[in-house]
Amino acid sequence: MTDGETGRNFITEIIDEHNETGRFNGIVHTRFPPEPNGYLHIGHAASIYLNFGIAERYGGLCNLRFDDTNPAKEEQEYIEAIIEDARWLGYDWDDRLYFASDYFDELYEMAVDLIRIGRAYVDELSPDEIRTYRGTLTKPGKESPFRNRSPEENLRLFEKMRAGGFKEGEAVLRAKIDMTSGNINLRDPVMYRILDAPHPRTGDKWKIYPMYDFAHGQSDSIEGITHSICTLEYEDHRPLYDWYLDNIEIFHPQQIEFARLNVSHTVLSKRKLIRLVQEGYVSGWDDPRMPTISGLRRRGYSPEALREFCENFGVGKVKGVVALHNLEYHLRQHLNKTANRVMAVINPLKVVIENYPDDLVEEMEAVNNPEDASAGTRMAPFSKVLYIERDDFMEDPPRKFFRLAPGREVRLRYAYFITCTDVIKDEDGEVIELRCAYDAATRGGSAPDGRRVKATLHWVSAQHAIKAQARLYNNLFTVEHPDSDREVDFTEFINPDSLTVVDPIYVEPHLQNAQAGERFQFERLAYFVVDQDSTAEKLVFNRTVALRDQWRKQQKKAGKAGRKTQRKAKPAPKP
RNA sequence: AGGGAAGUAGCUCAAUCGGCAGAGCAGGUGCCUUUGGAGCACAAGGUUAAAGGUUCGAGUCCUUUCUUCCCUGCCA
C-alpha cells in the first residue's frame, strides 16, 4: 500500500509520464476484457477494479469488452453471468459494452491489408508440422515452404478459407515476421484459424476466427483504448501487439502488464475451478466456498468489502499470494459497520431461571447496530426457559474462562444477571440443563449496586425462538497454497470440514421475515447471510466469516506452546 | 541460440533528483468494553537475494552471480 496518496502504482506512473509527454493528449481510456468461457472470480475483481479505477482516477472511461474470438469455448450463459457479476461489483460502462466479434469485418480487412503488403501468408502445413517448424525454446525455427507465396495467391487462398474451402486444420493465415526470433510469439504467429463452430453472436457467418493476438490490440485501437492493462503472461506478446498495430498503421495503445491477484487457501485457475464443480467437491459455481464472484456473493461478501480489499493490496509486477486474512479483514470491517446484530444459538444448552415467573414474557430492547445509531432497536422476548451457547458454560472452568460456571454470575445481553445454581446431567454425565437464578434488579443488564460481571452471553427464549438451518463454511483448502505442489493434486488438500450443516439452530423471532441476501451478525459468533435456499418455513443462513475470537486464539496458542515444549525436550542436532 | 520478467519486514506494497529504509494486514503486549466483537495505545519486526564497483553518500547507478516465474496452442 502506498503511504499518503492512495492508489498510486507503477501503472499510474506510466500514465503520468504519458500525460507529461502528451502521448495520448491526456486521455485515459481502459477496458476490462474477459473471455466468456467461465465465471468471474476474485482475481477478475482485482482487474475490474484496476481498469475502472484507473479510468475514474484520470477522468476517463472504461469499456467492458468480451474477448469472444474462440466460439469453441465460449457461451452466452457466461456472457450474462459476467455482466451480472460486474454490475453487482458496482461497475457501470453505460453503453460501452463491446465484443471482439463486433470487429470481425474490420479485422478481416486488416488481415487482407497485411497480405497485400506481403506480411501475411496462408500456410497449409498441418498443426503438427507447424509445431515442428517452430523450433524450440533453445533452437530457432525454420520457414514454411508456403511462406513465399505471392500476395495474389495468398489473397485467393485466404478468401477460400473464409468461404469454407478448407476444413479445420488444413490452412491458417500467418504473419510473416521472424522464424528465428528468441521470442517464440514472433515466429510467424497464426492470425486466423478455421473453426467449425457456431459463434454465440455471429452464428455461422464466419468459418475463420482471429487469434487473440490478432484481435486484441486492434480491438483496443478501434475503441480508442489508451492503456491496455493485462496480466504478466502477456509480456512476451507485447512485441507482437506492437507489430500488428505498427504494420496495419492504426492508433497505437500502450499495453501494460501487471501481476494477477492470487489468494491463499484457494485456487483460481479456470481449469481447477471447473474440476471442483464437475467432480462434485462443491455444489456449483456459486457454492459459497468458491472464490467466484457469485460464490463470494452467496457467502455474504459485500461489493464494498471486495473493493476495499482491491484498493488495499498494491498493484505490481511481483507475483505473490495475498493472505486470505487480508480479504477477511476488509470483509469484517465493512460488515461491522453495516450488518445488524441479532442473537442466535447454534449449539444450545437449556437454561431454566428458577425464580422467574412461569408465564411471564418480557420484551427486552436490543440495539440493532452499535456502530450505527440509525439502525434503531428491536424487541427480544425473554422468558423462564432459554437457550444459551453450550460453549458458554464450563463445569470446571480454567482460570481465564470468564463465562458461566457453577455459582458464577454473568449477564444475559439486554436482559438480566443470572447465577448458575445447579447443573443437570443425563446418565452419561453429559450436561443437559442449567438451573439459574436471576436478579430482577438488573433488568437491562446493569446492577443498581454497581457490581460487575466478566462476561455477557447471548441467548434466545426457548418458546419464542425460530428454528433455522446454519451452514458453517470454512476454508475450502487446508493449506495456504493448494496448487503449488507439483506431485500432489490440489484436491488432496480439500478441507473435509469446509461445510458443516447445523439444523436446527435457534434464532430470535425478529428474523422471521429476513430476506435472501440480508446480512446479520449473530452476536459473539459470526456474520451470516440469508441463503437463496431460504423459504418462509425454513430460514437458511450461511456463515460468511467468524468474528475474531480472542478466547479461541488463546486456547490454540496454549495447545501449540505445549507441543513446542515437548519438542524442545529433544535436543536438536547441530548443523 | 534462447527470449522475457521479478527479487525491500511473515504477507501485500511504499521510499521524489542518489540523501535518516516506511505503511496496512498478520503476529506480540497492554488498555477499554453490556459482543472475549468493535475500538485505542505501545513495542517488535530489515545484511533491501549475494558479491564487487562508482560516489561524501547506493534499495536506487554500473558489473557479475544466485533464486523464482512466464514463453515451444490452429487457447485467452
Side-chain angles (χ1 to χ4, degrees), chain A residues 468-471 507 511 520 522 528-530 539-543:
Chain A
Q469 181 181 100
R471 297 174 182 173
V507 304
L511 282 176
F520 297 94
F522 288 2
F528 280 82
V529 65
V530 181
L539 287 165
V540 177
F541 292 94
N542 295 333
R543 183 170 70 192

Side-chain angles (χ1 to χ4, degrees), chain A residues 345-348 389 467-473 499-506 528 538-541 543:
Chain A
V345 173
I346 288 181
N347 188 10
E389 208 67 56
K467 289 184 184 180
Q469 181 181 100
R471 297 174 182 173
L472 308 181
Y473 292 104
L499 168 60
T500 307
V501 178
V502 182
D503 200 343
I505 65 164
Y506 298 88
F528 280 82
K538 185 71 167 211
L539 287 165
V540 177
F541 292 94
R543 183 170 70 192

Side-chain angles (χ1 to χ4, degrees), chain A residues 30 116 126 145 269 292 346 465 573:
Chain A
T30 57
R116 284 211 178 96
S126 72
S269 88
T292 50
I346 288 181

Side-chain angles (χ1 to χ4, degrees), chain A residues 295 377 381:
Chain A
T377 61

Side-chain angles (χ1 to χ4, degrees), chain A residues 6 31 50 98 103 132 135 137 145 158 162 166 170 199 231 273-274 279 288 295 309 357 388 390 393 439 450:
Chain A
T6 57
R31 101 270 90 115
L50 222 204
Y98 300 119
Y103 315 128
T132 309
L137 293 178
F158 187 44
R162 192 192 64 75
F166 289 104
E170 286 183 346
H199 189 280
T231 48
L273 259 17
I274 284 173
E279 295 173 25
F309 167 72
I388 64 165
R390 192 164 277 272
F393 172 80
D439 177 354

Side-chain angles (χ1 to χ4, degrees), chain A residues 480-541:
Chain A
E480 268 183 75
H481 310 299
D483 52 3
S484 67
D485 196 307
R486 281 177 186 166
E487 268 110 64
V488 185
D489 190 70
F490 75 102
T491 56
E492 298 290 317
F493 300 113
I494 286 182
N495 178 6
D497 300 318
S498 63
L499 168 60
T500 307
V501 178
V502 182
D503 200 343
I505 65 164
Y506 298 88
V507 304
E508 274 183 58
H510 174 72
L511 282 176
Q512 186 62 260
N513 297 312
Q515 299 297 307
E518 269 193 88
R519 304 183 186 94
F520 297 94
Q521 183 195 98
F522 288 2
E523 290 215 51
R524 302 207 307 134
L525 297 175
Y527 292 99
F528 280 82
V529 65
V530 181
D531 189 74
Q532 62 200 38
D533 290 345
S534 234
T535 63
E537 294 76 42
K538 185 71 167 211
L539 287 165
V540 177
F541 292 94

